[in-house]
Amino acid sequence: MPLTTPGYPQLLLRGLLAGLIAGLLAATFAYLAGEPHIDAAIAIEEAGAPEGDALVSRDVQSGPGLFLATGLYGIALGGILATAYTVLRRRLHTGSDTTAALGLAAAALTGIVLVPYLKYPPNPPAVGDPATIDQRTAAYLAAVALGLVAVWAAALAARTQTHPWARATAAAAAFGVVVTIAYTLLPTFDEVPADFPATLLWDFRISSLGTQTILWTTLGLGYAGLLARLAHRTETPVTLP
């Protein structure tokens, strides 16, 4: 369906709303579970660095700034999900709008979050060499792109089979091959100081993954729910011609 079709604004609006809700919930989790670890890491960093004036105070960064940034990020992701749903809905082999929306969100969580996360887990402040930030950024973006390629390869492989177990096996094999090749080709960065607390590093990474998981899970469930309400109101499925 072209983006100028009258149905797209309704789909987009619901994606933006679902994204806002997802962003605020993710920000709440990040504030409660992640910010204490960031504060602890910053304390370690400041202990070994000369004192300086921050452009934005930590109270603003960890409070209003966190909710504003994550809310806007969620809105942007909601718009992307709605657009992807509009463009790809006809190609998804399911008659359920809910399944389609949840499937797209799960694919995004896998390709955009999980695949890069396992290769390049996030590090708190005080971890990482500033001299390699450009290389690390480029490698991370490459991991995101290859993660999406892996999801796409899995979807194509699944379509070559008819039996459910065969579809699942083909998808897992294709996904695994692409991810293995990607992890082999991408560079490795090991810049965690030997004296950095392992527990703090682990807790920070788990809270970061939890924030992303809550964001995408809420986005998928919220968008699917809003689509169901739209279909109920119009008494027709939200399927695209």
Side-chain angles (χ1 to χ4, degrees):
M1 181 181 72
L3 298 187
T4 55
T5 300
Y8 176 68
Q10 293 183 330
L11 299 177
L12 177 61
L13 180 61
R14 282 156 178 79
L16 298 178
L17 177 58
L20 175 61
I21 296 171
L24 294 178
L25 285 178
T28 301
F29 177 85
Y31 180 78
L32 296 175
E35 287 301 312
H37 308 311
I38 295 178
D39 289 337
I42 290 176
I44 294 176
E45 182 180 37
E46 291 178 344
E51 184 176 356
D53 295 328
L55 295 178
V56 181
S57 69
R58 275 294 297 157
D59 290 340
V60 174
Q61 292 177 9
S62 63
L66 172 65
F67 282 86
L68 176 61
T70 310
L72 292 176
Y73 180 59
I75 291 174
L77 293 181
I80 293 174
L81 178 62
T83 302
Y85 177 89
T86 304
V87 174
L88 300 175
R89 179 64 182 91
R90 290 173 297 175
R91 301 182 181 182
L92 300 176
H93 294 261
T94 176
S96 169
D97 299 314
T98 298
T99 301
L102 292 176
L104 287 174
L109 174 63
T110 301
I112 297 176
V113 177
L114 294 181
V115 172
Y117 178 91
L118 294 176
K119 179 64 177 178
Y120 301 120
N123 291 324
V127 174
D129 183 359
T132 64
I133 188 171
D134 290 339
Q135 296 93 317
R136 286 185 282 121
T137 300
Y140 180 83
L141 293 177
V144 171
L146 291 171
L148 293 176
V149 170
V151 171
W152 175 72
L156 291 182
R159 293 181 183 179
T160 64
Q161 306 296 322
T162 56
H163 192 278
W165 281 107
R167 289 169 61 88
T169 301
F175 180 84
V177 168
V178 175
V179 171
T180 299
I181 294 174
Y183 283 2
T184 302
L185 295 178
L186 290 171
T188 299
F189 301 95
D190 185 9
E191 300 178 349
V192 179
D195 59 347
F196 193 86
T199 301
L200 176 58
L201 179 66
W202 174 258
D203 290 342
F204 174 83
R205 289 176 172 177
I206 291 299
S207 64
S208 298
L209 180 60
T211 299
Q212 291 292 329
T213 301
I214 289 175
L215 177 63
W216 281 103
T217 301
T218 304
L219 178 56
L221 291 172
Y223 192 53
L226 291 173
L227 288 179
R229 288 178 59 88
L230 177 61
H232 178 73
R233 191 182 70 180
T234 59
E235 298 183 353
T236 56
V238 189
T239 51
L240 307 177

PDB file of all heavy atoms in Angstrom, residues 39-76:
ATOM      1  N   ASP A  39      25.587   5.934  37.840  1.00  0.00           N
ATOM      2  CA  ASP A  39      26.151   6.814  38.861  1.00  0.00           C
ATOM      3  C   ASP A  39      27.405   6.197  39.489  1.00  0.00           C
ATOM      4  O   ASP A  39      28.398   6.891  39.741  1.00  0.00           O
ATOM      5  CB  ASP A  39      25.109   7.093  39.954  1.00  0.00           C
ATOM      6  CG  ASP A  39      23.990   8.000  39.459  1.00  0.00           C
ATOM      7  OD1 ASP A  39      24.219   8.745  38.485  1.00  0.00           O
ATOM      8  OD2 ASP A  39      22.892   7.957  40.033  1.00  0.00           O
ATOM      9  N   ALA A  40      27.342   4.885  39.723  1.00  0.00           N
ATOM     10  CA  ALA A  40      28.507   4.218  40.316  1.00  0.00           C
ATOM     11  C   ALA A  40      29.692   4.232  39.360  1.00  0.00           C
ATOM     12  O   ALA A  40      30.837   4.435  39.766  1.00  0.00           O
ATOM     13  CB  ALA A  40      28.145   2.778  40.685  1.00  0.00           C
ATOM     14  N   ALA A  41      29.419   4.030  38.063  1.00  0.00           N
ATOM     15  CA  ALA A  41      30.491   4.046  37.076  1.00  0.00           C
ATOM     16  C   ALA A  41      31.074   5.450  36.920  1.00  0.00           C
ATOM     17  O   ALA A  41      32.288   5.618  36.767  1.00  0.00           O
ATOM     18  CB  ALA A  41      29.967   3.539  35.733  1.00  0.00           C
ATOM     19  N   ILE A  42      30.212   6.459  36.954  1.00  0.00           N
ATOM     20  CA  ILE A  42      30.692   7.842  36.858  1.00  0.00           C
ATOM     21  C   ILE A  42      31.570   8.184  38.063  1.00  0.00           C
ATOM     22  O   ILE A  42      32.585   8.888  37.938  1.00  0.00           O
ATOM     23  CB  ILE A  42      29.509   8.811  36.754  1.00  0.00           C
ATOM     24  CG1 ILE A  42      28.830   8.653  35.386  1.00  0.00           C
ATOM     25  CG2 ILE A  42      29.955  10.245  36.954  1.00  0.00           C
ATOM     26  CD1 ILE A  42      27.598   9.505  35.218  1.00  0.00           C
ATOM     27  N   ALA A  43      31.199   7.673  39.229  1.00  0.00           N
ATOM     28  CA  ALA A  43      32.011   7.920  40.424  1.00  0.00           C
ATOM     29  C   ALA A  43      33.405   7.333  40.256  1.00  0.00           C
ATOM     30  O   ALA A  43      34.411   7.937  40.662  1.00  0.00           O
ATOM     31  CB  ALA A  43      31.323   7.334  41.650  1.00  0.00           C
ATOM     32  N   ILE A  44      33.488   6.154  39.645  1.00  0.00           N
ATOM     33  CA  ILE A  44      34.788   5.538  39.392  1.00  0.00           C
ATOM     34  C   ILE A  44      35.580   6.366  38.391  1.00  0.00           C
ATOM     35  O   ILE A  44      36.785   6.597  38.555  1.00  0.00           O
ATOM     36  CB  ILE A  44      34.601   4.096  38.868  1.00  0.00           C
ATOM     37  CG1 ILE A  44      33.979   3.219  39.964  1.00  0.00           C
ATOM     38  CG2 ILE A  44      35.923   3.516  38.403  1.00  0.00           C
ATOM     39  CD1 ILE A  44      33.661   1.814  39.507  1.00  0.00           C
ATOM     40  N   GLU A  45      34.888   6.855  37.355  1.00  0.00           N
ATOM     41  CA  GLU A  45      35.551   7.653  36.331  1.00  0.00           C
ATOM     42  C   GLU A  45      36.067   8.967  36.914  1.00  0.00           C
ATOM     43  O   GLU A  45      37.204   9.382  36.637  1.00  0.00           O
ATOM     44  CB  GLU A  45      34.579   7.932  35.190  1.00  0.00           C
ATOM     45  CG  GLU A  45      35.180   8.713  34.031  1.00  0.00           C
ATOM     46  CD  GLU A  45      34.170   8.955  32.933  1.00  0.00           C
ATOM     47  OE1 GLU A  45      32.987   9.183  33.256  1.00  0.00           O
ATOM     48  OE2 GLU A  45      34.563   8.917  31.757  1.00  0.00           O
ATOM     49  N   GLU A  46      35.244   9.618  37.717  1.00  0.00           N
ATOM     50  CA  GLU A  46      35.632  10.920  38.271  1.00  0.00           C
ATOM     51  C   GLU A  46      36.744  10.792  39.306  1.00  0.00           C
ATOM     52  O   GLU A  46      37.508  11.738  39.530  1.00  0.00           O
ATOM     53  CB  GLU A  46      34.413  11.596  38.892  1.00  0.00           C
ATOM     54  CG  GLU A  46      33.378  12.036  37.871  1.00  0.00           C
ATOM     55  CD  GLU A  46      32.161  12.667  38.509  1.00  0.00           C
ATOM     56  OE1 GLU A  46      31.996  12.476  39.737  1.00  0.00           O
ATOM     57  OE2 GLU A  46      31.392  13.341  37.803  1.00  0.00           O
ATOM     58  N   ALA A  47      36.845   9.624  39.918  1.00  0.00           N
ATOM     59  CA  ALA A  47      37.888   9.433  40.924  1.00  0.00           C
ATOM     60  C   ALA A  47      39.281   9.488  40.310  1.00  0.00           C
ATOM     61  O   ALA A  47      40.246   9.858  40.976  1.00  0.00           O
ATOM     62  CB  ALA A  47      37.693   8.101  41.637  1.00  0.00           C
ATOM     63  N   GLY A  48      39.367   9.140  39.024  1.00  0.00           N
ATOM     64  CA  GLY A  48      40.666   9.135  38.376  1.00  0.00           C
ATOM     65  C   GLY A  48      40.828  10.203  37.329  1.00  0.00           C
ATOM     66  O   GLY A  48      41.772  10.169  36.542  1.00  0.00           O
ATOM     67  N   ALA A  49      39.917  11.184  37.292  1.00  0.00           N
ATOM     68  CA  ALA A  49      39.980  12.235  36.282  1.00  0.00           C
ATOM     69  C   ALA A  49      39.905  13.591  36.955  1.00  0.00           C
ATOM     70  O   ALA A  49      39.315  13.737  38.036  1.00  0.00           O
ATOM     71  CB  ALA A  49      38.828  12.077  35.285  1.00  0.00           C
ATOM     72  N   PRO A  50      40.483  14.631  36.336  1.00  0.00           N
ATOM     73  CA  PRO A  50      40.372  15.970  36.908  1.00  0.00           C
ATOM     74  C   PRO A  50      38.941  16.452  36.904  1.00  0.00           C
ATOM     75  O   PRO A  50      38.163  16.120  36.021  1.00  0.00           O
ATOM     76  CB  PRO A  50      41.246  16.829  35.969  1.00  0.00           C
ATOM     77  CG  PRO A  50      41.311  16.046  34.695  1.00  0.00           C
ATOM     78  CD  PRO A  50      41.270  14.606  35.108  1.00  0.00           C
ATOM     79  N   GLU A  51      38.579  17.229  37.906  1.00  0.00           N
ATOM     80  CA  GLU A  51      37.203  17.695  38.040  1.00  0.00           C
ATOM     81  C   GLU A  51      36.887  18.716  36.953  1.00  0.00           C
ATOM     82  O   GLU A  51      37.686  19.566  36.604  1.00  0.00           O
ATOM     83  CB  GLU A  51      37.005  18.336  39.414  1.00  0.00           C
ATOM     84  CG  GLU A  51      35.573  18.761  39.683  1.00  0.00           C
ATOM     85  CD  GLU A  51      35.401  19.295  41.091  1.00  0.00           C
ATOM     86  OE1 GLU A  51      36.386  19.239  41.849  1.00  0.00           O
ATOM     87  OE2 GLU A  51      34.295  19.762  41.406  1.00  0.00           O
ATOM     88  N   GLY A  52      35.691  18.622  36.391  1.00  0.00           N
ATOM     89  CA  GLY A  52      35.271  19.550  35.350  1.00  0.00           C
ATOM     90  C   GLY A  52      33.800  19.845  35.487  1.00  0.00           C
ATOM     91  O   GLY A  52      33.077  19.185  36.245  1.00  0.00           O
ATOM     92  N   ASP A  53      33.335  20.862  34.778  1.00  0.00           N
ATOM     93  CA  ASP A  53      31.930  21.241  34.829  1.00  0.00           C
ATOM     94  C   ASP A  53      31.171  20.529  33.728  1.00  0.00           C
ATOM     95  O   ASP A  53      31.537  20.619  32.553  1.00  0.00           O
ATOM     96  CB  ASP A  53      31.780  22.753  34.650  1.00  0.00           C
ATOM     97  CG  ASP A  53      32.396  23.521  35.795  1.00  0.00           C
ATOM     98  OD1 ASP A  53      32.381  22.989  36.922  1.00  0.00           O
ATOM     99  OD2 ASP A  53      32.920  24.635  35.560  1.00  0.00           O
ATOM    100  N   ALA A  54      30.113  19.815  34.076  1.00  0.00           N
ATOM    101  CA  ALA A  54      29.286  19.138  33.085  1.00  0.00           C
ATOM    102  C   ALA A  54      28.327  20.129  32.459  1.00  0.00           C
ATOM    103  O   ALA A  54      27.813  21.025  33.125  1.00  0.00           O
ATOM    104  CB  ALA A  54      28.503  17.994  33.744  1.00  0.00           C
ATOM    105  N   LEU A  55      28.096  19.955  31.147  1.00  0.00           N
ATOM    106  CA  LEU A  55      27.163  20.840  30.453  1.00  0.00           C
ATOM    107  C   LEU A  55      25.742  20.639  30.964  1.00  0.00           C
ATOM    108  O   LEU A  55      24.961  21.584  31.048  1.00  0.00           O
ATOM    109  CB  LEU A  55      27.221  20.575  28.944  1.00  0.00           C
ATOM    110  CG  LEU A  55      28.554  20.917  28.260  1.00  0.00           C
ATOM    111  CD1 LEU A  55      28.479  20.565  26.781  1.00  0.00           C
ATOM    112  CD2 LEU A  55      28.881  22.404  28.434  1.00  0.00           C
ATOM    113  N   VAL A  56      25.405  19.405  31.283  1.00  0.00           N
ATOM    114  CA  VAL A  56      24.078  19.089  31.813  1.00  0.00           C
ATOM    115  C   VAL A  56      24.276  18.291  33.096  1.00  0.00           C
ATOM    116  O   VAL A  56      25.005  17.293  33.101  1.00  0.00           O
ATOM    117  CB  VAL A  56      23.246  18.267  30.804  1.00  0.00           C
ATOM    118  CG1 VAL A  56      21.861  17.972  31.375  1.00  0.00           C
ATOM    119  CG2 VAL A  56      23.136  19.011  29.474  1.00  0.00           C
ATOM    120  N   SER A  57      23.640  18.710  34.161  1.00  0.00           N
ATOM    121  CA  SER A  57      23.828  18.034  35.440  1.00  0.00           C
ATOM    122  C   SER A  57      23.254  16.630  35.390  1.00  0.00           C
ATOM    123  O   SER A  57      22.356  16.322  34.612  1.00  0.00           O
ATOM    124  CB  SER A  57      23.147  18.834  36.554  1.00  0.00           C
ATOM    125  OG  SER A  57      21.736  18.774  36.416  1.00  0.00           O
ATOM    126  N   ARG A  58      23.767  15.773  36.286  1.00  0.00           N
ATOM    127  CA  ARG A  58      23.284  14.398  36.350  1.00  0.00           C
ATOM    128  C   ARG A  58      21.821  14.346  36.768  1.00  0.00           C
ATOM    129  O   ARG A  58      21.082  13.464  36.364  1.00  0.00           O
ATOM    130  CB  ARG A  58      24.135  13.595  37.333  1.00  0.00           C
ATOM    131  CG  ARG A  58      25.401  13.033  36.734  1.00  0.00           C
ATOM    132  CD  ARG A  58      25.110  11.995  35.678  1.00  0.00           C
ATOM    133  NE  ARG A  58      24.413  10.840  36.241  1.00  0.00           N
ATOM    134  CZ  ARG A  58      23.654  10.009  35.531  1.00  0.00           C
ATOM    135  NH1 ARG A  58      23.454  10.229  34.254  1.00  0.00           N
ATOM    136  NH2 ARG A  58      23.066   8.983  36.099  1.00  0.00           N
ATOM    137  N   ASP A  59      21.377  15.291  37.594  1.00  0.00           N
ATOM    138  CA  ASP A  59      19.974  15.306  38.006  1.00  0.00           C
ATOM    139  C   ASP A  59      19.055  15.476  36.800  1.00  0.00           C
ATOM    140  O   ASP A  59      17.985  14.871  36.728  1.00  0.00           O
ATOM    141  CB  ASP A  59      19.729  16.431  39.012  1.00  0.00           C
ATOM    142  CG  ASP A  59      20.370  16.152  40.359  1.00  0.00           C
ATOM    143  OD1 ASP A  59      20.655  14.967  40.632  1.00  0.00           O
ATOM    144  OD2 ASP A  59      20.596  17.110  41.121  1.00  0.00           O
ATOM    145  N   VAL A  60      19.478  16.319  35.849  1.00  0.00           N
ATOM    146  CA  VAL A  60      18.677  16.515  34.642  1.00  0.00           C
ATOM    147  C   VAL A  60      18.809  15.316  33.709  1.00  0.00           C
ATOM    148  O   VAL A  60      17.832  14.833  33.137  1.00  0.00           O
ATOM    149  CB  VAL A  60      19.106  17.812  33.918  1.00  0.00           C
ATOM    150  CG1 VAL A  60      18.378  17.952  32.585  1.00  0.00           C
ATOM    151  CG2 VAL A  60      18.832  19.017  34.804  1.00  0.00           C
ATOM    152  N   GLN A  61      20.043  14.812  33.557  1.00  0.00           N
ATOM    153  CA  GLN A  61      20.272  13.679  32.662  1.00  0.00           C
ATOM    154  C   GLN A  61      19.485  12.454  33.102  1.00  0.00           C
ATOM    155  O   GLN A  61      18.906  11.745  32.271  1.00  0.00           O
ATOM    156  CB  GLN A  61      21.762  13.344  32.626  1.00  0.00           C
ATOM    157  CG  GLN A  61      22.624  14.395  31.955  1.00  0.00           C
ATOM    158  CD  GLN A  61      24.092  14.029  32.013  1.00  0.00           C
ATOM    159  OE1 GLN A  61      24.461  12.922  32.400  1.00  0.00           O
ATOM    160  NE2 GLN A  61      24.944  14.980  31.651  1.00  0.00           N
ATOM    161  N   SER A  62      19.501  12.175  34.401  1.00  0.00           N
ATOM    162  CA  SER A  62      18.874  10.952  34.903  1.00  0.00           C
ATOM    163  C   SER A  62      17.403  11.118  35.233  1.00  0.00           C
ATOM    164  O   SER A  62      16.735  10.145  35.581  1.00  0.00           O
ATOM    165  CB  SER A  62      19.616  10.471  36.161  1.00  0.00           C
ATOM    166  OG  SER A  62      19.510  11.440  37.184  1.00  0.00           O
ATOM    167  N   GLY A  63      16.883  12.339  35.135  1.00  0.00           N
ATOM    168  CA  GLY A  63      15.476  12.577  35.419  1.00  0.00           C
ATOM    169  C   GLY A  63      14.712  12.985  34.193  1.00  0.00           C
ATOM    170  O   GLY A  63      14.419  12.160  33.323  1.00  0.00           O
ATOM    171  N   PRO A  64      14.380  14.270  34.051  1.00  0.00           N
ATOM    172  CA  PRO A  64      13.614  14.728  32.883  1.00  0.00           C
ATOM    173  C   PRO A  64      14.291  14.411  31.563  1.00  0.00           C
ATOM    174  O   PRO A  64      13.629  14.045  30.588  1.00  0.00           O
ATOM    175  CB  PRO A  64      13.521  16.243  33.114  1.00  0.00           C
ATOM    176  CG  PRO A  64      13.701  16.433  34.584  1.00  0.00           C
ATOM    177  CD  PRO A  64      14.652  15.372  35.010  1.00  0.00           C
ATOM    178  N   GLY A  65      15.623  14.544  31.523  1.00  0.00           N
ATOM    179  CA  GLY A  65      16.329  14.276  30.273  1.00  0.00           C
ATOM    180  C   GLY A  65      16.173  12.843  29.825  1.00  0.00           C
ATOM    181  O   GLY A  65      16.004  12.567  28.620  1.00  0.00           O
ATOM    182  N   LEU A  66      16.241  11.916  30.750  1.00  0.00           N
ATOM    183  CA  LEU A  66      16.102  10.497  30.422  1.00  0.00           C
ATOM    184  C   LEU A  66      14.720  10.205  29.854  1.00  0.00           C
ATOM    185  O   LEU A  66      14.582   9.535  28.823  1.00  0.00           O
ATOM    186  CB  LEU A  66      16.353   9.646  31.672  1.00  0.00           C
ATOM    187  CG  LEU A  66      16.060   8.151  31.536  1.00  0.00           C
ATOM    188  CD1 LEU A  66      16.998   7.510  30.533  1.00  0.00           C
ATOM    189  CD2 LEU A  66      16.190   7.463  32.905  1.00  0.00           C
ATOM    190  N   PHE A  67      13.677  10.703  30.516  1.00  0.00           N
ATOM    191  CA  PHE A  67      12.320  10.424  30.060  1.00  0.00           C
ATOM    192  C   PHE A  67      12.029  11.115  28.731  1.00  0.00           C
ATOM    193  O   PHE A  67      11.346  10.550  27.869  1.00  0.00           O
ATOM    194  CB  PHE A  67      11.312  10.864  31.128  1.00  0.00           C
ATOM    195  CG  PHE A  67      11.196   9.905  32.267  1.00  0.00           C
ATOM    196  CD1 PHE A  67      12.062   9.975  33.353  1.00  0.00           C
ATOM    197  CD2 PHE A  67      10.237   8.911  32.264  1.00  0.00           C
ATOM    198  CE1 PHE A  67      11.959   9.088  34.409  1.00  0.00           C
ATOM    199  CE2 PHE A  67      10.114   8.012  33.307  1.00  0.00           C
ATOM    200  CZ  PHE A  67      10.991   8.103  34.383  1.00  0.00           C
ATOM    201  N   LEU A  68      12.543  12.331  28.556  1.00  0.00           N
ATOM    202  CA  LEU A  68      12.329  13.034  27.291  1.00  0.00           C
ATOM    203  C   LEU A  68      13.021  12.314  26.145  1.00  0.00           C
ATOM    204  O   LEU A  68      12.408  12.063  25.097  1.00  0.00           O
ATOM    205  CB  LEU A  68      12.851  14.469  27.401  1.00  0.00           C
ATOM    206  CG  LEU A  68      12.770  15.306  26.114  1.00  0.00           C
ATOM    207  CD1 LEU A  68      11.325  15.458  25.653  1.00  0.00           C
ATOM    208  CD2 LEU A  68      13.420  16.670  26.325  1.00  0.00           C
ATOM    209  N   ALA A  69      14.286  11.961  26.343  1.00  0.00           N
ATOM    210  CA  ALA A  69      15.043  11.312  25.277  1.00  0.00           C
ATOM    211  C   ALA A  69      14.467   9.940  24.927  1.00  0.00           C
ATOM    212  O   ALA A  69      14.302   9.600  23.745  1.00  0.00           O
ATOM    213  CB  ALA A  69      16.510  11.185  25.683  1.00  0.00           C
ATOM    214  N   THR A  70      14.145   9.156  25.937  1.00  0.00           N
ATOM    215  CA  THR A  70      13.625   7.814  25.684  1.00  0.00           C
ATOM    216  C   THR A  70      12.214   7.874  25.109  1.00  0.00           C
ATOM    217  O   THR A  70      11.847   7.053  24.257  1.00  0.00           O
ATOM    218  CB  THR A  70      13.630   6.974  26.973  1.00  0.00           C
ATOM    219  OG1 THR A  70      14.912   7.065  27.584  1.00  0.00           O
ATOM    220  CG2 THR A  70      13.336   5.507  26.663  1.00  0.00           C
ATOM    221  N   GLY A  71      11.416   8.853  25.553  1.00  0.00           N
ATOM    222  CA  GLY A  71      10.085   9.018  24.979  1.00  0.00           C
ATOM    223  C   GLY A  71      10.148   9.375  23.507  1.00  0.00           C
ATOM    224  O   GLY A  71       9.418   8.815  22.678  1.00  0.00           O
ATOM    225  N   LEU A  72      11.036  10.310  23.148  1.00  0.00           N
ATOM    226  CA  LEU A  72      11.194  10.688  21.739  1.00  0.00           C
ATOM    227  C   LEU A  72      11.737   9.526  20.915  1.00  0.00           C
ATOM    228  O   LEU A  72      11.329   9.316  19.759  1.00  0.00           O
ATOM    229  CB  LEU A  72      12.118  11.897  21.623  1.00  0.00           C
ATOM    230  CG  LEU A  72      11.573  13.212  22.190  1.00  0.00           C
ATOM    231  CD1 LEU A  72      12.627  14.308  22.112  1.00  0.00           C
ATOM    232  CD2 LEU A  72      10.311  13.637  21.438  1.00  0.00           C
ATOM    233  N   TYR A  73      12.659   8.783  21.508  1.00  0.00           N
ATOM    234  CA  TYR A  73      13.206   7.606  20.826  1.00  0.00           C
ATOM    235  C   TYR A  73      12.102   6.576  20.573  1.00  0.00           C
ATOM    236  O   TYR A  73      12.015   5.987  19.490  1.00  0.00           O
ATOM    237  CB  TYR A  73      14.309   7.006  21.688  1.00  0.00           C
ATOM    238  CG  TYR A  73      14.979   5.785  21.108  1.00  0.00           C
ATOM    239  CD1 TYR A  73      15.622   5.827  19.879  1.00  0.00           C
ATOM    240  CD2 TYR A  73      14.980   4.581  21.818  1.00  0.00           C
ATOM    241  CE1 TYR A  73      16.253   4.711  19.363  1.00  0.00           C
ATOM    242  CE2 TYR A  73      15.610   3.454  21.313  1.00  0.00           C
ATOM    243  CZ  TYR A  73      16.240   3.531  20.078  1.00  0.00           C
ATOM    244  OH  TYR A  73      16.858   2.401  19.571  1.00  0.00           O
ATOM    245  N   GLY A  74      11.251   6.364  21.572  1.00  0.00           N
ATOM    246  CA  GLY A  74      10.142   5.432  21.397  1.00  0.00           C
ATOM    247  C   GLY A  74       9.180   5.888  20.315  1.00  0.00           C
ATOM    248  O   GLY A  74       8.698   5.080  19.511  1.00  0.00           O
ATOM    249  N   ILE A  75       8.886   7.194  20.262  1.00  0.00           N
ATOM    250  CA  ILE A  75       8.008   7.725  19.218  1.00  0.00           C
ATOM    251  C   ILE A  75       8.601   7.470  17.833  1.00  0.00           C
ATOM    252  O   ILE A  75       7.899   7.067  16.904  1.00  0.00           O
ATOM    253  CB  ILE A  75       7.772   9.228  19.440  1.00  0.00           C
ATOM    254  CG1 ILE A  75       6.913   9.448  20.689  1.00  0.00           C
ATOM    255  CG2 ILE A  75       7.094   9.857  18.226  1.00  0.00           C
ATOM    256  CD1 ILE A  75       6.759  10.903  21.074  1.00  0.00           C
ATOM    257  N   ALA A  76       9.906   7.710  17.702  1.00  0.00           N
ATOM    258  CA  ALA A  76      10.568   7.470  16.412  1.00  0.00           C
ATOM    259  C   ALA A  76      10.486   6.002  16.020  1.00  0.00           C
ATOM    260  O   ALA A  76      10.189   5.669  14.861  1.00  0.00           O
ATOM    261  CB  ALA A  76      12.023   7.919  16.489  1.00  0.00           C
TER     262      ALA A  76
END
